[in-house]
C-alpha cells in the first residue's frame, strides 16, 4: 500500500476486555515500531520488530501487552484485561534502512484511539 | 537518560510571519538523527525535516529550517511565511544510529496560526 495503515481507527473496550490492534506497514519495510501516545503527550516507544523478530520490547508497560509479527509484515498489538490507564492512541510506524544514506526515518500510521471505560 | 524537552506547550503566529519552536535533548551518543514531525488533528505523524548529527550544515525544506547546535544539544525549527495549514502539534524526536533506532519524542508544541 501507499502508507502505513492501522485498524480499527477507534476502539472502545470495557475494563477487563481483551483488544487487538492491527498494523499494516509499508510493503517491504523491514522495521516496525509500536508507540503509545497518552492524551497531551508525545509518543512513547513500546516495542520493535525487525522482520518477524521482536528485538526490543523494553517499552511494554506490563505483561498484559503482547505484540507479534509472525510473517514479517502485518503486526498485531494485543492488550489483555484492559485497564483505564491503557486509554491512549497507539501508533505504528515502519522504516527501511536505506543503504548508503544512513537515514532511518519512520513512517507512521494514523493510529488507533483506544478508550477503556 | 535520553530525553527530549520542548519547553513551549503552545505557540501562536500570524499568517505569513515567522515562528521558531525550540527543542533540547540529552544524549551521551555521538551519532544520532534528529527529526521534527507534525501531527494534525487526524493524528497522522508527518515528517517535516530531519538532521544528521554528523552534519554541521543546518537542514532546510522549503519554508522549514532548523538551527542545530550540537554542543548545546539544541534543535530548533523555524517556519517562515506561516500558513493556516501549518497549525498542528509539532514533535521533536531523535534516534541513535545503532540498536533499534527507536524514537525518543518530546512532549510537543501546539502551533496556532492566526489569520
Amino acid at each position: 500500500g501507499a502508507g502505513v495503515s492501522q485498524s480499527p481507527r477507534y476502539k472502545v473496550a470495557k475494563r477487563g476486555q481483551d483488544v487487538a490492534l492491527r498494523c499494516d506497514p509499508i510493503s517491504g519495510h523491514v522495521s516496525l515500531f509500536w508507540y503509545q501516545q497518552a492524551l497531551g503527550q508525545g509518543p512513547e516507544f513500546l516495542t520493535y520488530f525487525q522482520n518477524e523478530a521482536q528485538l526490543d520490547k523494553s517499552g511494554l508497560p506490563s505483561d498484559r501487552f503482547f505484540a507479534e509479527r509472525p510473517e514479517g509484515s502485518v503486526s498485531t498489538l494485543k492488550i489483555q484485561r484492559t485497564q483505564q490507564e491503557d486509554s491512549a492512541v497507539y501508533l505504528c510506524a515502519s522504516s527501511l534502512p536505506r543503504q548508503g544514506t544512513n537515514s532511518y526515518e519512520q513512517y507512521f500510521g494514523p493510529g488507533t484511539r483506544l478508550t477503556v471505560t | 537518560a535520553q530525553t527530549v524537552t520542548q519547553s513551549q506547550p503552545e505557540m501562536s503566529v500570524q499568517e505569513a510571519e515567522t515562528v521558531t519552536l525550540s527543542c533540547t535533548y540529552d544524549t551521551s551518543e555521538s551519532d544520532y538523527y534528529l527529526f521534527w514531525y507534525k501531527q494534525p488533528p487526524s493524528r497522522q505523524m508527518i515528517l517535516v525535516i530531519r538532521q544528521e548529527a554528523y552534519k554541521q550544515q543546518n537542514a532546510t525544506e522549503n519554508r522549514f529550517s532548523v538551527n542545530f547546535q550540537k554542543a548545546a544539544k539544541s534543535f530548533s525549527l523555524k517556519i517562515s511565511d506561516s500558513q493556516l495549514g501549518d497549525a498542528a502539534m509539532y514533535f521533536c524526536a531523535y534516534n541513535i544510529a545503532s540498536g533499534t533506532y527507536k524514537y525518543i519524542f518530546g512532549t510537543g508544541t501546539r502551533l496556532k496560526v492566526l489569520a
Side-chain angles (χ1 to χ4, degrees), chain A residues 9-10 33 35 37 40-43 45 48 56 58 89 91 98 102-106 108-113, chain B residues 33 35 37 39 41-45 47 50 52 54 89 91 95 97 99-108:
Chain A
R9 289 294 308 275
Y10 301 89
F33 302 80
Y35 294 87
Q37 186 176 19
Q41 300 296 315
F45 170 78
Y48 161 70
D56 187 344
S58 62
V89 173
L91 296 170
R98 292 180 289 170
N102 291 323
S103 177
Y104 295 96
E105 64 198 66
Q106 296 176 20
F108 285 82
T112 294
R113 181 181 296 281
Chain B
Y33 307 99
F35 306 86
Y37 277 85
Q39 188 179 44
S42 67
R43 301 199 305 266
Q44 186 86 45
M45 297 280 269
L47 179 67
R50 68 171 180 265
E52 291 86 347
Y54 64 87
M89 284 292 290
F91 290 97
N95 64 5
T100 66
Y101 299 92
K102 64 186 177 186
Y103 280 172
I104 307 296
F105 282 93
T107 52

